[in-house]
Amino acid sequence: MDGSSVFMIEQNLLPFEFKIHEAKTYKDTCHAIRTMIVRGAGAIGAAAGFAMAQAFIENHPDGRCEIESTRPTAQTLFYAVKRVFDKAINSKYPKRAAFEEALAIANEDAQHCRLIGEHGEKLIKDGMNIETHCNAGWLAFVDWGSALSPVYAAARKGKNVFVYADETRPRGQGARLTAWELLNEGIPHKIIPDNAGAHLMSKGKIDIIIVGADRIAANGDTGNKIGTLEKAICAKEYGIPFYIAAPTSTIDKDCPTGKDIPIEERSDKEVLYQTGRDKEGTMREVLVCNPGSNAGNPAFDVTPAKYITGIITEKGIVKPENL
Ligand code: MRU
């Protein structure tokens, strides 16, 4: 416990560059969450837990408010901060207790995602085509991931699987991160535009859809990356099973229905500009929309429970109405 830095993969540079980012103070870790250096429900939760521990180590337990205001939608952020805060404030050795609790949360996240893989793998038959949205793989968690964990488990068991990764505008988590993970795992896949899903479903090209979750309300309504709702509605129309994969730390019992899930509105710059690498290998930000036009950027949507076939958790697969 000499140093109190938090180390994380700099996700904004992927897939072009792999770099580890060091956040030396709780404010640095807040900055990393806010700017999506670290992103994805479980990874945000783990980072926020460690930020809370850093705040205790820096004698600033009042930093809790700042940590909780970094991003509004992912329930795991609030779950982790509360757990670390409660543990430390009730301990004789708050700094050590905070650090140990943050570590326990991170380890649990990895363990729970591994179990999600074990349960979810049973839904995947040899030769299946799977569609996923956003990135809910090992970059988005401490390890394994939620939606991709069953896919990894199926592939490691020798099943032939093919993944359609939705591009996931505007940040491109599917095109940049899910595709990078799948390539590294040796899993055959294609990046598809966000608006291609319904077409592929209508042609019988998708056998199952598995996505992650940022917050699950008590009635099973699920908040996830913007665009998830459209996939769920289309899946229902074409009789395709639509699964949410998420650790139970994502469930917010204080949120009765999806209407209560806070939806983050992000900067319009994320829609108007795109960042990528030019032919010379230099990272550049370019305007991809009409100059002078404004853009809206709601980052999440809520899928009503009626569209969800089941929720894959570390404890097993449950119907949303039985949560
Ligand atoms: O990239 P983010 O942090 O804005 O998106 C959150 C997510 O990762 C997705 O909504 C994901 O599908 C939920 S599970 C990690």
Side-chain angles (χ1 to χ4, degrees):
M1 228 182 60
D2 292 345
S4 64
S5 287
V6 181
F7 294 88
M8 57 197 84
I9 297 170
E10 191 353 333
Q11 297 196 38
N12 289 320
L13 297 179
L14 287 173
F16 308 111
E17 194 183 332
F18 184 90
K19 197 175 157 192
I20 298 296
H21 177 83
E22 178 179 6
K24 293 186 175 160
T25 64
Y26 88 87
K27 280 185 182 289
D28 288 347
T29 307
C30 286
H31 170 79
I33 297 171
R34 217 178 288 116
T35 58
M36 292 172 74
I37 289 170
V38 60
R39 52 141 298 284
I44 289 174
F50 281 119
M52 194 66 253
Q54 284 176 305
F56 271 99
I57 292 164
E58 294 162 35
N59 297 315
H60 267 296
D62 55 332
R64 178 176 179 170
C65 280
E66 190 176 343
I67 302 165
E68 287 185 329
S69 63
T70 48
R71 295 196 66 189
T73 307
Q75 165 63 8
T76 323
L77 185 154
F78 303 93
Y79 164 87
V81 169
K82 181 176 171 8
R83 252 182 75 171
V84 173
F85 186 88
D86 288 352
K87 192 76 175 195
I89 215 80
N90 293 312
S91 166
K92 248 171 100 179
Y93 306 102
K95 296 182 183 188
R96 176 158 293 279
F99 168 72
E100 285 175 358
E101 193 65 5
L103 194 60
I105 291 167
N107 287 333
E108 276 169 30
D109 184 77
Q111 168 77 351
H112 290 173
C113 284
R114 191 183 59 73
L115 291 168
I116 286 171
E118 277 182 21
H119 297 304
E121 175 272 323
K122 299 186 181 81
L123 300 168
I124 300 175
K125 306 211 167 41
D126 190 44
M128 267 191 167
N129 292 319
I130 303 147
E131 183 176 354
T132 190
H133 192 70
C134 194
N135 169 255
W138 38 263
L139 287 165
F141 288 82
V142 176
D143 207 354
W144 293 101
S146 57
L148 291 182
S149 186
V151 178
Y152 295 148
R156 287 180 187 201
K157 275 202 166 172
K159 293 180 191 173
N160 289 309
V161 291
F162 189 91
V163 178
Y164 287 99
D166 295 348
E167 182 183 27
T168 320
R169 276 279 282 156
R171 298 280 303 207
Q173 290 95 331
R176 299 168 78 114
L177 305 177
T178 298
W180 185 79
E181 282 190 22
L182 292 168
L183 198 72
N184 278 291
E185 283 277 338
I187 294 180
H189 63 280
K190 255 185 201 169
I191 300 162
I192 54 168
D194 288 325
N195 39 11
H199 170 71
L200 293 175
M201 289 184 222
S202 77
K203 296 283 176 198
K205 293 257 167 71
I206 309 288
D207 299 303
I208 186 170
I209 301 177
I210 311 178
V211 300
D214 292 275
R215 191 183 295 231
I216 302 174
N219 72 343
D221 294 351
T222 295
N224 193 50
K225 182 53 58 189
I226 192 80
T228 303
L229 173 59
E230 287 173 22
K231 308 300 160 209
I233 295 170
C234 292
K236 185 108 181 163
E237 172 67 21
Y238 292 106
I240 297 162
F242 180 91
Y243 282 92
I244 298 289
T248 50
S249 53
T250 317
I251 301 166
D252 182 0
K253 293 196 204 92
D254 297 328
C255 209
T257 74
K259 288 198 180 75
D260 309 294
I261 296 176
I263 301 294
E264 178 179 15
E265 185 73 34
R266 293 188 62 87
S267 163
D268 66 345
K269 288 199 174 56
E270 293 182 347
V271 178
L272 300 173
Y273 293 85
Q274 289 287 288
T275 306
R277 198 171 242 191
D278 68 14
K279 282 186 197 149
E280 281 72 46
T282 309
M283 287 288 275
R284 291 204 190 281
E285 187 182 67
V286 293
L287 179 66
V288 293
C289 297
N290 181 49
S293 292
N294 295 322
N297 190 11
F300 300 91
D301 58 27
V302 175
T303 299
K306 66 177 179 182
Y307 295 115
I308 299 168
T309 313
I311 301 177
I312 313 166
T313 75
E314 74 277 11
K315 297 182 181 174
I317 303 173
V318 65
K319 290 207 169 297
E321 61 270 25
N322 298 335
L323 254 193

